[in-house]
Amino acid sequence: MLFRSLGIKDYTIGEGNFNINYMYTLLPMFQIGGFIRNETSTQEIKYEAGGKYKDETRQTIFGLRATFNFKEELKNSFYITAELSK
């Protein structure tokens, strides 16, 4: 196995995403709203020699969003969205 030849005993990777958003209809074909997104990523390597490496990153993103629908019937409409986030 390739990992054994590199001296790696175990390798684990994981990702998590959590999103909340809200849109408010200003006009029949135009909505505006905001969102919060939380993303995590973890990586852990255990070596045959007994060492361990662990890396974890987290970020929280806040943003505003505006959506234009091409029809007034929202469930059966194509739309375009612009988003600004930090």
Side-chain angles (χ1 to χ4, degrees), residues 3 9-12 19 38 52 54 56 65 71:
F3 287 129
K9 181 178 179 181
D10 189 30
Y11 178 76
T12 307
N19 300 297
N38 189 323
K52 184 193 278 189
K54 186 171 183 177
E56 183 173 290
R65 187 178 283 156
K71 291 182 184 177

Side-chain angles (χ1 to χ4, degrees), residues 9-80:
K9 181 178 179 181
D10 189 30
Y11 178 76
T12 307
I13 189 168
E15 290 184 2
N17 295 312
F18 180 74
N19 300 297
I20 296 176
N21 67 63
Y22 176 78
M23 298 297 284
Y24 179 77
T25 300
L26 289 175
L27 301 170
M29 295 169 46
F30 184 73
Q31 293 85 39
I32 190 166
F35 67 92
I36 300 171
R37 181 169 51 236
N38 189 323
E39 300 173 351
T40 60
S41 175
T42 58
Q43 176 177 276
E44 185 173 348
I45 302 171
K46 293 179 183 174
Y47 296 100
E48 293 284 343
K52 184 193 278 189
Y53 170 80
K54 186 171 183 177
D55 181 38
E56 183 173 290
T57 59
R58 295 174 184 247
Q59 65 178 353
T60 302
I61 302 164
F62 299 92
L64 298 173
R65 187 178 283 156
T67 299
F68 177 78
N69 292 283
F70 293 99
K71 291 182 184 177
E72 287 188 23
E73 188 179 341
L74 297 179
K75 290 184 180 182
N76 295 317
S77 174
F78 287 102
Y79 62 89
I80 189 167

Side-chain angles (χ1 to χ4, degrees), residues 1-12:
M1 178 180 243
L2 178 63
F3 287 129
R4 299 275 187 222
S5 65
L6 295 174
I8 296 174
K9 181 178 179 181
D10 189 30
Y11 178 76
T12 307

